[in-house]
Amino acid sequence: MSAINNKIEPIVIERIYKHPVKKVFDAFSHKAAFEQWVAPSNEINTNILIHEFKIGGQYRIEFTVPEVGTLFLAGEYVHIERHKQICFTWVWEKPDIHAGINSLVTADFLDHGEYTRLIITHENLSMLQVVERHTQGWNGALRRLDNFLIKLSNKQD
Amino acid sequence: MAIQNTNSLDKTFHALGDESRRKILAMISQKQRCTAGELVKLFSFSQPTVSRHLKVLENAGLVTRHIEGRHHVFALGVNGLKEADGWINRHLVYWENSLDRLGQFLDSDEK
């Protein structure tokens, strides 16, 4: 049962770096530094096309993967608390197999003096989108039912 | 009214997002195969409720249906779980590797 439940739990990864929190935070906030490590492999060429590091700012990254092609990842910075937390949306662009799945990444930086504990939480927002779509669907249906009943009542009058 | 889960991963997450469906799925997983009637007896759900949940699970590829005489027999389908696994594993591997590279970058920057 727990294995099934885990399917909808966020991904949480924790790392400890023997560097002060400012340096680890700057590796996210500075475009040149971010570009150095954000790809998951040295073989992937990374080009950060947009990097507006502010709340509401956009980012867009081009990854050139050998024998696969070019992939684009984009999102928006939804929360920034200097040296503490960065929260950003994460969406692969078409034609990626996971294109359009809206997800949210939160990076928490815990200051331990000479070292930093970094916690990455990556949540898939599909479930929330489904709930929202259903709500919209029901609201639409109920509006139509409402209109239908009004028309019916007018006819009877 | 257009309520459509166009993305198959959405269907999986939608199906797994309901506690009753997770219970049904866990029971099918445990017993390996289950009829709709058995599920009605095991849970305090009505026949139409069980049928509705099974339909959602079936559409998401989480269970498969075989008709044996008058009985509809359900078993665990792996397709839906693979879909969810695909997204999760990809991002798990992504972060594991990029955070390793972050460590290397921070160390190299020190020199």
Side-chain angles (χ1 to χ4, degrees):
Chain A
M1 187 61 192
S2 63
I4 291 164
N5 280 337
N6 284 342
K7 300 296 172 192
I8 50 173
E9 303 259 323
I11 294 164
V12 182
I13 299 175
E14 191 175 324
R15 291 293 167 94
I16 291 171
Y17 297 111
K18 290 178 184 169
H19 298 277
V21 72
K22 181 187 178 303
K23 190 174 178 181
V24 181
F25 187 90
D26 287 350
F28 283 75
S29 64
H30 294 178
K31 182 187 170 188
F34 196 39
E35 209 165 48
Q36 293 297 310
W37 65 267
V38 70
S41 157
N42 291 334
E43 291 171 9
I44 298 173
N45 189 47
T46 312
N47 186 13
I48 298 185
L49 306 170
I50 302 169
H51 188 259
E52 302 165 343
F53 192 74
K54 59 184 179 188
I55 294 173
Q58 307 289 311
Y59 73 89
R60 189 165 184 251
I61 308 171
E62 177 188 57
F63 295 111
T64 307
V65 188
E67 295 174 22
V68 172
T70 308
L71 303 174
F72 292 94
L73 176 72
E76 180 185 323
Y77 291 102
V78 292
H79 181 74
I80 296 171
E81 204 176 338
R82 193 151 288 276
H83 303 158
K84 284 188 177 167
Q85 191 184 67
I86 305 170
C87 195
F88 50 99
T89 59
W90 172 290
V91 188
W92 293 101
E93 293 181 4
K94 284 181 183 176
D96 189 275
I97 51 162
H98 295 128
I101 296 174
N102 199 10
S103 57
L104 186 73
V105 178
T106 304
D108 286 300
F109 304 80
L110 307 179
D111 186 354
H112 290 273
E114 289 183 0
Y115 70 92
T116 303
R117 199 146 64 98
L118 174 67
I119 303 168
I120 295 286
T121 306
H122 197 154
E123 297 166 84
N124 187 318
L125 301 177
S126 294
M127 280 185 64
L128 292 176
Q129 288 168 341
V130 167
V131 170
E132 195 183 340
R133 259 206 298 278
H134 276 237
T135 308
Q136 284 168 356
W138 277 111
N139 283 342
L142 293 177
R143 263 198 307 274
R144 283 167 60 204
L145 176 64
D146 224 16
N147 291 339
F148 171 74
L149 292 173
I150 290 168
K151 276 182 193 169
L152 197 67
S153 139
N154 288 344
K155 271 185 188 174
Q156 283 169 349
D157 292 343
Chain B
M1 176 172 68
I3 300 175
Q4 289 179 336
N5 292 313
T6 48
N7 188 305
S8 57
L9 196 63
D10 274 2
K11 282 187 185 175
T12 308
F13 280 98
H14 166 58
L16 291 172
D18 181 277
E19 194 187 353
S20 302
R21 284 197 285 274
R22 290 201 297 270
K23 281 181 182 171
I24 290 173
L25 198 60
M27 187 53 70
I28 294 171
S29 169
Q30 195 183 323
K31 291 174 73 78
Q32 297 197 322
R33 60 196 298 283
C34 246
T35 64
E38 283 171 328
L39 290 166
V40 170
K41 280 182 193 166
L42 286 165
F43 299 104
S44 55
F45 304 140
S46 65
Q47 176 79 47
T49 302
V50 167
S51 298
R52 199 171 60 243
H53 285 319
L54 285 169
K55 190 80 188 162
V56 175
L57 291 169
E58 191 182 6
N59 283 340
L62 293 167
V63 299
T64 56
R65 181 195 302 253
H66 302 283
I67 298 171
E68 290 178 10
R70 292 168 53 204
H71 299 288
H72 287 219
V73 182
F74 294 88
L76 202 63
V78 290
N79 291 349
L81 290 177
K82 274 184 184 167
E83 282 269 4
D85 266 349
W87 188 91
I88 290 166
N89 285 336
R90 175 187 187 178
H91 291 91
L92 198 57
V93 170
Y94 182 100
W95 283 112
E96 291 282 2
N97 291 335
S98 62
L99 293 181
D100 280 350
R101 293 184 74 231
L102 171 60
Q104 288 159 15
F105 167 73
L106 293 168
D107 292 345
S108 69
D109 202 37
E110 190 111 298
K111 290 168 193 167

